[in-house]
Amino acid sequence: MAFWRSLAFSAVLLLLIHGAHCFYLPGVAPQDFIKGDTLQVKVNKLTSTKTQLPYSYYSLPYCAPKKIQDSAENLGEVLRGDRIENSLYEFKMREPQMCNIVCKLKLDAKTAKEFKEKINDEYRVNMILDNLPLVVPIKRNDQDSIVYQLGFHVGLKGHYSGSKDEKYFIHNHLAFTVKYHRDVQTETARIVGFEVKPFSVKHEFDGKWDETKTRLTTCDPHAKHTVVNSNTPQEVEENNEIIFTYDVEFQESDVKWASRWDAYLLMNDDQIHWFSIYNELETQEEAQEETGWKLVHGDVFRPPNNSDLLCVYVGTGVQFFGMILVTMTFAILGFLSPSNRGGLMTAMLLLWVFMGIFAGYSSTRLYKMFKGSEWKKLALRTATMFPAVVSVIFFILNGLIWGQKSSGAVPFGTMFALIFLWFGISVPLVFVGSYVGFKKPAIETPVKTNKIPRQIPEQAWYMNPAFSVLIGGILPFGAVFIELFFILTSIWLNQFYYIFGFLFLVFIILIVTCAEITIVLCYFQLCSEDYLWWWRSYLTSGSSALYLFLYATFYFFTKLEITKLRCGDKDKDDYNATMVHRKELRCMWIVGASTVVGGYG
């Protein structure tokens, strides 16, 4: 975790240093307005807590401009369902307006049904001004404080007095309040609040309809007749005409621009949340005193089934780890330049051979901890099990390639040299390491193991070994799969791989991720009183090798155009295709076999 924190801190520091000479992000930089400046209100999605399905504002037949323009949205906004568009609501900074007519709409059967459906599902309309969302202030009955709800309802359901028939009413008059903080020196202002009070009003007018000249009798600023209630609501029915209007009022506020989001983010019941957190921690401490992993302390170091096989796998993993670590170190220092053709492969083979001493030592040390005594058999299995599997696959594929008379086939002299490295150097070194490890005192466990195994209680479904093992491999694989693409490309498409600095960083991330996920899942297992943790802890991060193999297979069949296994020598194109297939198929088998033990390190 310390590594991740330091990495995140470095990234943030670089961004801050770079940002000192950069522009502000839209919506983050304050915008100053002078009196009379145009304020364009944007509309956003319609939301409902009943359906959780957002819709665009103009999915309902609201008043729309001649040309609807979508604002630029980032990925997060698109995933959230945001659809930010322009609207006909337009203000002038610090210039109040009353009874502005937006448009007149006549409902048909379809539009009336659409409005009724949204009202029935309790959809709310969301708007934006200067990157501030529109809110409806609601005063609490039990307190003097005010809470804010995002957006206003499309309408409401109710019935007239003396009637039981349920009717649908639309909010067609909006009383906006724009709060601003004024700079006394410059006389500029910044918007710090955007509120609304929706009303349902059945507007009336005299004479013929003209949007630019018609004066409403239900809302006339000249007669000082404003909308303050919904006593005469606008019903949603077929053939009804709806007139949409709005007022806008400007209020000076002491809230500064930097604090304008405080009202949206304010949590009045924070003491309850803190008490809940404290109570949870206290409960966990009490539970840990009586239940969980402490109850299995007498069985936690009980040797697992097939313990000798686990020791062989661990020893092979140590051998892999040492080979990779030293190889990357030399590569970073520039000793394994791509100009030195074959240098990387040679170094890996030699390091694999000489790391056998550490494989024998580590496998035998663990074996002795499990009270094992036949260390010679264990050493032989450690020295031969994995190399034997790879060798069998290698010889079969090499035989196929040799049958095609390809220059890629390994000659017998080289094969003899490989066998000599294996049996002449690697095997003896494994035995030397095993001898040294077995001569050392056995690792002492901190507690004694009970003679009678404790019964394991029934486990939850998510603690199933197969499930937890497969889940554990996802995170380590996710940390390296991007770099894996470049590695596979360099292997199978015959390209140079030279970014060892990035590869080493990814390798460190892989080690940290494997360790963390294994510790966490092992802790959960022990807390469930399941003490059979040896194999599961090994396979938890080791299962990332399965995902590695599946990804390699996916890459093989999707990124490479391979259609044949064998072909004649007469057709040059077919021959070249065979060469590519031979090399890629062999690499696939070797990489696939290697991934079986990919989690050992």
Side-chain angles (χ1 to χ4, degrees):
M1 295 302 293
F3 170 80
W4 285 106
R5 285 194 293 267
S6 61
L7 186 63
F9 176 78
S10 301
V12 172
L13 184 62
L14 288 174
L15 288 174
L16 291 176
I17 295 174
H18 180 67
H21 303 283
C22 290
F23 54 89
Y24 286 102
L25 294 175
V28 177
Q31 188 171 358
D32 296 322
F33 299 95
I34 61 174
K35 187 174 182 180
D37 280 351
T38 301
L39 303 178
Q40 183 65 52
V41 177
K42 296 181 179 181
V43 293
N44 200 351
K45 60 186 176 182
L46 307 175
T47 57
S48 170
T49 56
K50 291 182 65 176
T51 66
Q52 297 296 328
L53 295 175
Y55 293 92
S56 65
Y57 177 82
Y58 293 112
S59 64
L60 286 179
Y62 278 118
C63 306
K66 294 182 179 180
K67 183 179 181 181
I68 299 177
Q69 297 178 342
D70 294 332
S71 299
E73 298 166 350
N74 58 42
L75 180 61
E77 289 174 323
V78 174
L79 294 177
R80 280 165 37 93
D82 288 347
R83 297 295 182 268
I84 303 174
E85 300 161 316
N86 60 328
S87 72
L88 293 175
Y89 294 95
E90 191 174 280
F91 311 152
K92 297 293 182 181
M93 185 65 180
R94 295 164 60 187
E95 293 182 2
Q97 302 175 34
M98 293 180 62
C99 303
N100 273 23
I101 298 175
V102 183
C103 73
K104 181 167 70 79
L105 174 67
K106 185 174 183 179
L107 300 179
D108 54 22
K110 180 182 178 182
T111 55
K113 181 182 178 181
E114 291 174 347
F115 274 115
K116 287 181 179 180
E117 288 177 349
K118 294 299 186 289
I119 293 173
N120 191 60
D121 291 334
E122 299 180 3
Y123 271 88
R124 305 180 75 92
V125 179
N126 294 277
M127 296 183 176
I128 298 173
L129 177 63
D130 190 35
N131 204 45
L132 272 181
L134 180 66
V135 294
V136 178
I138 300 176
K139 187 175 181 180
R140 287 188 172 183
N141 296 328
D142 56 339
Q143 301 178 17
D144 294 333
S145 60
I146 295 177
V147 295
Y148 296 96
Q149 291 185 349
L150 291 175
F152 61 92
H153 284 108
V154 173
L156 48 88
K157 294 187 294 183
H159 54 82
Y160 295 107
S161 57
S163 174
K164 295 183 179 180
D165 295 336
E166 190 174 57
K167 300 293 183 179
Y168 292 84
F169 305 100
I170 189 173
H171 286 137
N172 60 323
H173 181 84
L174 304 177
F176 294 104
T177 300
V178 178
K179 297 183 178 181
Y180 64 93
H181 182 79
R182 183 167 61 92
D183 191 329
V184 180
Q185 297 180 349
T186 62
E187 288 299 319
T188 59
R190 295 176 177 176
I191 297 175
V192 296
F194 186 34
E195 302 175 1
V196 70
K197 291 182 180 179
F199 299 98
S200 180
V201 181
K202 186 177 182 180
H203 285 301
E204 298 176 354
F205 59 93
D206 296 329
K208 294 184 178 181
W209 174 257
D210 187 343
E211 287 190 7
T212 58
K213 298 180 180 180
T214 298
R215 292 176 58 179
L216 303 175
T217 58
T218 52
C219 185
D220 188 356
H222 302 283
K224 296 183 179 180
H225 186 189
T226 60
V227 177
V228 293
N229 55 54
S230 300
N231 292 338
T232 56
Q234 174 63 59
E235 187 177 342
V236 178
E237 286 295 341
E238 184 179 356
N239 297 324
N240 279 6
E241 291 185 342
I242 301 176
I243 300 175
F244 291 89
T245 57
Y246 69 92
D247 302 335
V248 58
E249 176 188 5
F250 290 87
Q251 291 183 1
E252 188 171 355
S253 173
D254 294 331
V255 177
K256 295 184 179 180
W257 185 89
S259 305
R260 66 177 187 166
W261 280 90
D262 290 357
Y264 298 87
L265 307 177
L266 182 62
M267 185 168 56
N268 293 320
D269 298 328
D270 55 346
Q271 292 183 353
I272 297 177
H273 290 268
W274 281 114
F275 177 77
S276 175
I277 294 173
Y278 174 76
N279 185 62
E280 179 68 21
L281 293 174
E282 195 175 52
T283 303
Q284 290 179 359
E285 290 177 358
E286 294 174 356
Q288 289 175 1
E289 291 297 328
E290 301 175 0
T291 62
W293 61 271
K294 290 189 176 181
L295 293 178
V296 296
H297 68 277
D299 296 272
V300 73
F301 290 106
R302 187 179 303 279
N305 296 328
N306 299 317
S307 59
D308 52 345
L309 185 62
L310 177 63
C311 296
V312 172
Y313 286 175
V314 170
T316 306
V318 171
Q319 192 172 4
F320 258 106
F321 180 79
M323 178 194 70
I324 295 173
L325 182 63
V326 178
T327 301
M328 286 191 181
T329 303
F330 278 101
I332 292 175
L333 296 176
F335 292 108
L336 300 177
S337 172
S339 60
N340 181 17
R341 291 185 295 272
L344 178 62
M345 181 62 70
T346 303
M348 293 181 67
L349 284 174
L350 293 176
L351 286 172
W352 167 267
V353 168
F354 289 109
M355 288 296 166
I357 190 171
F358 297 103
Y361 178 83
S362 56
S363 62
T364 307
R365 289 285 287 160
L366 185 61
Y367 180 70
K368 191 172 183 179
M369 177 183 172
F370 292 150
K371 311 300 181 184
S373 58
E374 298 179 349
W375 67 272
K376 294 180 182 179
K377 289 184 178 180
L378 182 75
L380 182 61
R381 295 178 66 180
T382 304
T384 58
M385 179 173 287
F386 176 78
V389 174
V390 176
S391 298
V392 170
I393 298 173
F394 174 79
F395 284 129
I396 293 175
L397 294 178
N398 193 69
L400 295 175
I401 298 169
W402 180 80
Q404 297 299 313
K405 299 180 180 180
S406 168
S407 62
V410 178
F412 286 103
T414 305
M415 293 177 62
F416 180 80
L418 292 175
I419 294 175
F420 173 77
L421 288 175
W422 178 12
F423 287 100
I425 301 177
S426 179
V427 173
L429 287 178
V430 171
F431 271 87
V432 171
S434 298
Y435 176 79
V436 174
F438 194 78
K439 286 299 181 180
K440 283 187 169 292
I443 301 174
E444 295 291 338
T445 58
V447 293
K448 293 184 178 180
T449 303
N450 297 332
K451 294 183 178 180
I452 301 177
R454 176 185 176 85
Q455 185 176 2
I456 300 175
E458 185 177 355
Q459 300 293 302
W461 65 269
Y462 52 84
M463 293 304 297
N464 181 274
F467 180 79
S468 62
V469 165
L470 291 176
I471 288 297
I474 295 177
L475 191 60
F477 172 75
V480 300
F481 85 97
I482 294 179
E483 196 67 25
L484 177 63
F485 173 82
F486 296 100
I487 296 175
L488 296 179
T489 301
S490 64
I491 291 176
W492 284 340
L493 299 186
N494 198 25
Q495 297 178 0
F496 290 113
Y497 185 86
Y498 57 89
I499 46 178
F500 292 103
F502 287 102
L503 182 61
F504 186 76
L505 180 61
V506 170
F507 177 62
I508 298 299
I509 294 174
L510 176 65
I511 295 172
V512 174
T513 307
C514 287
E516 288 181 344
I517 195 68
T518 301
I519 292 172
V520 169
L521 293 183
C522 184
Y523 173 76
F524 289 158
Q525 179 184 353
L526 295 178
C527 287
S528 300
E529 302 180 30
D530 184 358
Y531 53 84
L532 303 178
W533 64 277
W534 288 98
W535 274 106
R536 195 184 300 190
S537 63
Y538 169 80
L539 294 173
T540 294
S541 58
S543 64
S544 58
L546 174 63
Y547 296 103
L548 172 62
F549 179 76
L550 293 177
Y551 180 74
T553 306
F554 171 79
Y555 185 96
F556 182 83
F557 287 107
T558 60
K559 302 297 182 182
L560 304 177
E561 298 179 1
I562 299 172
T563 57
K564 297 180 181 179
L565 177 64
R566 299 180 64 183
C567 63
D569 300 333
K570 296 181 181 179
D571 193 316
K572 183 178 180 181
D573 293 336
D574 286 348
Y575 178 78
N576 291 334
T578 304
M579 293 301 98
V580 175
H581 180 97
R582 180 270 308 161
K583 179 176 182 180
E584 292 163 349
L585 184 61
R586 183 177 64 182
C587 290
M588 179 186 176
W589 273 98
I590 293 176
V591 171
S594 300
T595 57
V596 176
V597 293
Y600 293 176

mmCIF file of all heavy atoms in Angstrom, residues 260-289:
data_model
loop_
_atom_site.group_PDB
_atom_site.id
_atom_site.type_symbol
_atom_site.label_atom_id
_atom_site.label_comp_id
_atom_site.label_asym_id
_atom_site.label_seq_id
_atom_site.Cartn_x
_atom_site.Cartn_y
_atom_site.Cartn_z
ATOM 1 N N ARG A 260 -19.519 27.416 -2.798
ATOM 2 C CA ARG A 260 -20.890 27.332 -3.298
ATOM 3 C C ARG A 260 -21.430 25.899 -3.330
ATOM 4 O O ARG A 260 -22.641 25.698 -3.352
ATOM 5 C CB ARG A 260 -20.985 27.954 -4.691
ATOM 6 C CG ARG A 260 -20.216 27.231 -5.783
ATOM 7 C CD ARG A 260 -20.453 27.911 -7.125
ATOM 8 N NE ARG A 260 -19.860 27.158 -8.241
ATOM 9 C CZ ARG A 260 -20.143 27.392 -9.514
ATOM 10 N NH1 ARG A 260 -20.983 28.369 -9.836
ATOM 11 N NH2 ARG A 260 -19.592 26.676 -10.470
ATOM 12 N N TRP A 261 -20.542 24.913 -3.327
ATOM 13 C CA TRP A 261 -20.998 23.526 -3.331
ATOM 14 C C TRP A 261 -21.278 23.001 -1.924
ATOM 15 O O TRP A 261 -21.748 21.873 -1.764
ATOM 16 C CB TRP A 261 -19.964 22.636 -4.006
ATOM 17 C CG TRP A 261 -20.044 22.686 -5.502
ATOM 18 C CD1 TRP A 261 -19.389 23.527 -6.332
ATOM 19 C CD2 TRP A 261 -20.842 21.838 -6.338
ATOM 20 N NE1 TRP A 261 -19.717 23.282 -7.633
ATOM 21 C CE2 TRP A 261 -20.602 22.243 -7.670
ATOM 22 C CE3 TRP A 261 -21.726 20.793 -6.094
ATOM 23 C CZ2 TRP A 261 -21.234 21.630 -8.756
ATOM 24 C CZ3 TRP A 261 -22.336 20.180 -7.182
ATOM 25 C CH2 TRP A 261 -22.088 20.596 -8.489
ATOM 26 N N ASP A 262 -20.989 23.801 -0.903
ATOM 27 C CA ASP A 262 -21.179 23.323 0.466
ATOM 28 C C ASP A 262 -22.636 22.966 0.745
ATOM 29 O O ASP A 262 -22.922 21.994 1.458
ATOM 30 C CB ASP A 262 -20.705 24.382 1.466
ATOM 31 C CG ASP A 262 -19.193 24.544 1.466
ATOM 32 O OD1 ASP A 262 -18.536 23.782 0.730
ATOM 33 O OD2 ASP A 262 -18.683 25.424 2.171
ATOM 34 N N ALA A 263 -23.554 23.739 0.185
ATOM 35 C CA ALA A 263 -24.971 23.468 0.420
ATOM 36 C C ALA A 263 -25.389 22.135 -0.184
ATOM 37 O O ALA A 263 -26.258 21.435 0.354
ATOM 38 C CB ALA A 263 -25.816 24.596 -0.166
ATOM 39 N N TYR A 264 -24.769 21.751 -1.302
ATOM 40 C CA TYR A 264 -25.103 20.487 -1.946
ATOM 41 C C TYR A 264 -24.493 19.307 -1.194
ATOM 42 O O TYR A 264 -25.064 18.206 -1.179
ATOM 43 C CB TYR A 264 -24.593 20.472 -3.390
ATOM 44 C CG TYR A 264 -25.210 21.531 -4.271
ATOM 45 C CD1 TYR A 264 -24.677 22.806 -4.339
ATOM 46 C CD2 TYR A 264 -26.323 21.250 -5.046
ATOM 47 C CE1 TYR A 264 -25.237 23.776 -5.156
ATOM 48 C CE2 TYR A 264 -26.898 22.208 -5.868
ATOM 49 C CZ TYR A 264 -26.344 23.470 -5.920
ATOM 50 O OH TYR A 264 -26.910 24.430 -6.724
ATOM 51 N N LEU A 265 -23.334 19.539 -0.601
ATOM 52 C CA LEU A 265 -22.597 18.452 0.026
ATOM 53 C C LEU A 265 -22.779 18.389 1.532
ATOM 54 O O LEU A 265 -22.213 17.517 2.188
ATOM 55 C CB LEU A 265 -21.099 18.592 -0.291
ATOM 56 C CG LEU A 265 -20.750 18.728 -1.774
ATOM 57 C CD1 LEU A 265 -19.253 18.929 -1.938
ATOM 58 C CD2 LEU A 265 -21.222 17.512 -2.554
ATOM 59 N N LEU A 266 -23.545 19.322 2.087
ATOM 60 C CA LEU A 266 -23.708 19.383 3.530
ATOM 61 C C LEU A 266 -24.444 18.152 4.028
ATOM 62 O O LEU A 266 -25.470 17.752 3.486
ATOM 63 C CB LEU A 266 -24.482 20.649 3.925
ATOM 64 C CG LEU A 266 -24.695 20.876 5.429
ATOM 65 C CD1 LEU A 266 -23.354 21.038 6.134
ATOM 66 C CD2 LEU A 266 -25.586 22.079 5.680
ATOM 67 N N MET A 267 -23.927 17.536 5.094
ATOM 68 C CA MET A 267 -24.534 16.362 5.703
ATOM 69 C C MET A 267 -24.855 16.717 7.147
ATOM 70 O O MET A 267 -23.985 16.813 7.996
ATOM 71 C CB MET A 267 -23.582 15.172 5.628
ATOM 72 C CG MET A 267 -24.177 13.876 6.121
ATOM 73 S SD MET A 267 -23.136 12.449 5.696
ATOM 74 C CE MET A 267 -21.582 12.927 6.434
ATOM 75 N N ASN A 268 -26.131 16.918 7.420
ATOM 76 C CA ASN A 268 -26.537 17.409 8.732
ATOM 77 C C ASN A 268 -26.431 16.350 9.822
ATOM 78 O O ASN A 268 -26.358 16.667 10.995
ATOM 79 C CB ASN A 268 -27.985 17.923 8.671
ATOM 80 C CG ASN A 268 -28.129 19.159 7.805
ATOM 81 O OD1 ASN A 268 -27.273 20.035 7.831
ATOM 82 N ND2 ASN A 268 -29.194 19.207 7.017
ATOM 83 N N ASP A 269 -26.471 15.087 9.425
ATOM 84 C CA ASP A 269 -26.470 14.012 10.408
ATOM 85 C C ASP A 269 -25.119 13.310 10.469
ATOM 86 O O ASP A 269 -25.013 12.106 10.554
ATOM 87 C CB ASP A 269 -27.565 12.982 10.075
ATOM 88 C CG ASP A 269 -28.950 13.588 10.115
ATOM 89 O OD1 ASP A 269 -29.153 14.502 10.923
ATOM 90 O OD2 ASP A 269 -29.819 13.143 9.337
ATOM 91 N N ASP A 270 -24.028 14.106 10.395
ATOM 92 C CA ASP A 270 -22.706 13.496 10.366
ATOM 93 C C ASP A 270 -22.360 12.810 11.674
ATOM 94 O O ASP A 270 -21.604 11.846 11.690
ATOM 95 C CB ASP A 270 -21.644 14.545 10.023
ATOM 96 C CG ASP A 270 -21.684 15.734 10.954
ATOM 97 O OD1 ASP A 270 -22.693 15.868 11.684
ATOM 98 O OD2 ASP A 270 -20.723 16.523 10.963
ATOM 99 N N GLN A 271 -22.932 13.265 12.793
ATOM 100 C CA GLN A 271 -22.630 12.624 14.068
ATOM 101 C C GLN A 271 -23.137 11.185 14.093
ATOM 102 O O GLN A 271 -22.509 10.300 14.669
ATOM 103 C CB GLN A 271 -23.251 13.419 15.219
ATOM 104 C CG GLN A 271 -22.604 14.788 15.422
ATOM 105 C CD GLN A 271 -23.187 15.513 16.608
ATOM 106 O OE1 GLN A 271 -24.157 15.060 17.214
ATOM 107 N NE2 GLN A 271 -22.609 16.651 16.953
ATOM 108 N N ILE A 272 -24.269 10.948 13.432
ATOM 109 C CA ILE A 272 -24.807 9.592 13.372
ATOM 110 C C ILE A 272 -23.858 8.682 12.604
ATOM 111 O O ILE A 272 -23.609 7.542 12.988
ATOM 112 C CB ILE A 272 -26.199 9.603 12.726
ATOM 113 C CG1 ILE A 272 -27.167 10.416 13.597
ATOM 114 C CG2 ILE A 272 -26.728 8.190 12.521
ATOM 115 C CD1 ILE A 272 -28.548 10.549 13.005
ATOM 116 N N HIS A 273 -23.308 9.201 11.520
ATOM 117 C CA HIS A 273 -22.385 8.400 10.725
ATOM 118 C C HIS A 273 -21.110 8.090 11.499
ATOM 119 O O HIS A 273 -20.603 6.971 11.458
ATOM 120 C CB HIS A 273 -22.044 9.140 9.429
ATOM 121 C CG HIS A 273 -23.186 9.214 8.469
ATOM 122 N ND1 HIS A 273 -23.387 8.281 7.486
ATOM 123 C CD2 HIS A 273 -24.199 10.107 8.361
ATOM 124 C CE1 HIS A 273 -24.456 8.595 6.792
ATOM 125 N NE2 HIS A 273 -24.962 9.696 7.293
ATOM 126 N N TRP A 274 -20.576 9.081 12.220
ATOM 127 C CA TRP A 274 -19.370 8.836 13.011
ATOM 128 C C TRP A 274 -19.645 7.817 14.118
ATOM 129 O O TRP A 274 -18.838 6.928 14.385
ATOM 130 C CB TRP A 274 -18.879 10.142 13.631
ATOM 131 C CG TRP A 274 -18.126 10.998 12.681
ATOM 132 C CD1 TRP A 274 -18.482 12.215 12.205
ATOM 133 C CD2 TRP A 274 -16.859 10.708 12.081
ATOM 134 N NE1 TRP A 274 -17.540 12.701 11.337
ATOM 135 C CE2 TRP A 274 -16.527 11.802 11.251
ATOM 136 C CE3 TRP A 274 -15.978 9.626 12.150
ATOM 137 C CZ2 TRP A 274 -15.355 11.839 10.508
ATOM 138 C CZ3 TRP A 274 -14.805 9.656 11.414
ATOM 139 C CH2 TRP A 274 -14.509 10.762 10.605
ATOM 140 N N PHE A 275 -20.803 7.922 14.729
ATOM 141 C CA PHE A 275 -21.143 6.965 15.781
ATOM 142 C C PHE A 275 -21.280 5.562 15.202
ATOM 143 O O PHE A 275 -20.864 4.579 15.820
ATOM 144 C CB PHE A 275 -22.456 7.378 16.456
ATOM 145 C CG PHE A 275 -22.922 6.413 17.505
ATOM 146 C CD1 PHE A 275 -22.328 6.386 18.761
ATOM 147 C CD2 PHE A 275 -23.941 5.518 17.235
ATOM 148 C CE1 PHE A 275 -22.751 5.492 19.721
ATOM 149 C CE2 PHE A 275 -24.367 4.624 18.185
ATOM 150 C CZ PHE A 275 -23.778 4.603 19.440
ATOM 151 N N SER A 276 -21.853 5.472 13.997
ATOM 152 C CA SER A 276 -22.011 4.164 13.363
ATOM 153 C C SER A 276 -20.650 3.534 13.079
ATOM 154 O O SER A 276 -20.446 2.342 13.292
ATOM 155 C CB SER A 276 -22.810 4.307 12.072
ATOM 156 O OG SER A 276 -22.876 3.092 11.389
ATOM 157 N N ILE A 277 -19.705 4.344 12.591
ATOM 158 C CA ILE A 277 -18.369 3.836 12.297
ATOM 159 C C ILE A 277 -17.674 3.372 13.572
ATOM 160 O O ILE A 277 -17.076 2.301 13.632
ATOM 161 C CB ILE A 277 -17.535 4.909 11.579
ATOM 162 C CG1 ILE A 277 -18.134 5.198 10.203
ATOM 163 C CG2 ILE A 277 -16.080 4.480 11.446
ATOM 164 C CD1 ILE A 277 -17.486 6.359 9.501
ATOM 165 N N TYR A 278 -17.765 4.186 14.610
ATOM 166 C CA TYR A 278 -17.128 3.831 15.879
ATOM 167 C C TYR A 278 -17.741 2.558 16.454
ATOM 168 O O TYR A 278 -17.034 1.663 16.946
ATOM 169 C CB TYR A 278 -17.294 4.978 16.870
ATOM 170 C CG TYR A 278 -16.794 4.658 18.253
ATOM 171 C CD1 TYR A 278 -15.432 4.649 18.539
ATOM 172 C CD2 TYR A 278 -17.686 4.343 19.271
ATOM 173 C CE1 TYR A 278 -14.972 4.336 19.811
ATOM 174 C CE2 TYR A 278 -17.241 4.036 20.545
ATOM 175 C CZ TYR A 278 -15.885 4.046 20.809
ATOM 176 O OH TYR A 278 -15.441 3.742 22.062
ATOM 177 N N ASN A 279 -19.064 2.455 16.358
ATOM 178 C CA ASN A 279 -19.740 1.280 16.896
ATOM 179 C C ASN A 279 -19.356 0.032 16.125
ATOM 180 O O ASN A 279 -19.180 -1.051 16.697
ATOM 181 C CB ASN A 279 -21.255 1.492 16.838
ATOM 182 C CG ASN A 279 -22.021 0.353 17.497
ATOM 183 O OD1 ASN A 279 -21.873 0.108 18.684
ATOM 184 N ND2 ASN A 279 -22.841 -0.331 16.711
ATOM 185 N N GLU A 280 -19.179 0.154 14.813
ATOM 186 C CA GLU A 280 -18.781 -0.988 14.000
ATOM 187 C C GLU A 280 -17.386 -1.463 14.369
ATOM 188 O O GLU A 280 -17.133 -2.665 14.493
ATOM 189 C CB GLU A 280 -18.843 -0.603 12.519
ATOM 190 C CG GLU A 280 -18.430 -1.707 11.564
ATOM 191 C CD GLU A 280 -19.406 -2.862 11.548
ATOM 192 O OE1 GLU A 280 -20.562 -2.660 11.954
ATOM 193 O OE2 GLU A 280 -18.991 -3.961 11.158
ATOM 194 N N LEU A 281 -16.452 -0.520 14.567
ATOM 195 C CA LEU A 281 -15.094 -0.885 14.949
ATOM 196 C C LEU A 281 -15.078 -1.559 16.309
ATOM 197 O O LEU A 281 -14.376 -2.546 16.530
ATOM 198 C CB LEU A 281 -14.204 0.356 14.969
ATOM 199 C CG LEU A 281 -13.939 1.002 13.602
ATOM 200 C CD1 LEU A 281 -13.164 2.292 13.786
ATOM 201 C CD2 LEU A 281 -13.188 0.044 12.696
ATOM 202 N N GLU A 282 -15.900 -1.029 17.226
ATOM 203 C CA GLU A 282 -15.941 -1.600 18.565
ATOM 204 C C GLU A 282 -16.514 -3.009 18.527
ATOM 205 O O GLU A 282 -16.030 -3.924 19.200
ATOM 206 C CB GLU A 282 -16.786 -0.701 19.469
ATOM 207 C CG GLU A 282 -16.611 -1.003 20.946
ATOM 208 C CD GLU A 282 -17.375 -0.007 21.794
ATOM 209 O OE1 GLU A 282 -18.576 0.171 21.531
ATOM 210 O OE2 GLU A 282 -16.783 0.581 22.702
ATOM 211 N N THR A 283 -17.542 -3.206 17.690
ATOM 212 C CA THR A 283 -18.145 -4.532 17.569
ATOM 213 C C THR A 283 -17.161 -5.538 16.995
ATOM 214 O O THR A 283 -17.077 -6.684 17.425
ATOM 215 C CB THR A 283 -19.394 -4.456 16.674
ATOM 216 O OG1 THR A 283 -20.303 -3.507 17.231
ATOM 217 C CG2 THR A 283 -20.078 -5.816 16.577
ATOM 218 N N GLN A 284 -16.384 -5.088 16.008
ATOM 219 C CA GLN A 284 -15.414 -5.988 15.404
ATOM 220 C C GLN A 284 -14.332 -6.390 16.399
ATOM 221 O O GLN A 284 -13.899 -7.540 16.437
ATOM 222 C CB GLN A 284 -14.786 -5.331 14.183
ATOM 223 C CG GLN A 284 -15.745 -5.185 13.011
ATOM 224 C CD GLN A 284 -15.086 -4.521 11.834
ATOM 225 O OE1 GLN A 284 -13.912 -4.143 11.900
ATOM 226 N NE2 GLN A 284 -15.827 -4.373 10.761
ATOM 227 N N GLU A 285 -13.901 -5.446 17.239
ATOM 228 C CA GLU A 285 -12.879 -5.774 18.232
ATOM 229 C C GLU A 285 -13.400 -6.804 19.221
ATOM 230 O O GLU A 285 -12.703 -7.744 19.595
ATOM 231 C CB GLU A 285 -12.449 -4.502 18.961
ATOM 232 C CG GLU A 285 -11.643 -3.549 18.075
ATOM 233 C CD GLU A 285 -11.311 -2.275 18.806
ATOM 234 O OE1 GLU A 285 -11.745 -2.152 19.976
ATOM 235 O OE2 GLU A 285 -10.633 -1.413 18.232
ATOM 236 N N GLU A 286 -14.667 -6.638 19.644
ATOM 237 C CA GLU A 286 -15.230 -7.597 20.584
ATOM 238 C C GLU A 286 -15.378 -8.962 19.940
ATOM 239 O O GLU A 286 -15.128 -9.989 20.566
ATOM 240 C CB GLU A 286 -16.584 -7.087 21.072
ATOM 241 C CG GLU A 286 -16.478 -5.816 21.910
ATOM 242 C CD GLU A 286 -17.847 -5.272 22.254
ATOM 243 O OE1 GLU A 286 -18.847 -5.852 21.765
ATOM 244 O OE2 GLU A 286 -17.938 -4.289 23.010
ATOM 245 N N ALA A 287 -15.773 -8.980 18.660
ATOM 246 C CA ALA A 287 -15.971 -10.263 17.991
ATOM 247 C C ALA A 287 -14.661 -10.999 17.807
ATOM 248 O O ALA A 287 -14.597 -12.222 17.920
ATOM 249 C CB ALA A 287 -16.657 -10.044 16.640
ATOM 250 N N GLN A 288 -13.600 -10.252 17.546
ATOM 251 C CA GLN A 288 -12.319 -10.889 17.302
ATOM 252 C C GLN A 288 -11.738 -11.503 18.570
ATOM 253 O O GLN A 288 -10.862 -12.359 18.497
ATOM 254 C CB GLN A 288 -11.335 -9.877 16.712
ATOM 255 C CG GLN A 288 -11.678 -9.492 15.290
ATOM 256 C CD GLN A 288 -10.774 -8.405 14.775
ATOM 257 O OE1 GLN A 288 -9.869 -7.955 15.482
ATOM 258 N NE2 GLN A 288 -11.007 -7.978 13.559
ATOM 259 N N GLU A 289 -12.216 -11.087 19.714
ATOM 260 C CA GLU A 289 -11.714 -11.667 20.945
ATOM 261 C C GLU A 289 -12.255 -13.075 21.144
ATOM 262 O O GLU A 289 -11.673 -13.876 21.856
ATOM 263 C CB GLU A 289 -12.125 -10.784 22.139
ATOM 264 C CG GLU A 289 -11.415 -9.433 22.171
ATOM 265 C CD GLU A 289 -9.921 -9.570 22.343
ATOM 266 O OE1 GLU A 289 -9.488 -10.522 23.005
ATOM 267 O OE2 GLU A 289 -9.179 -8.729 21.808
#
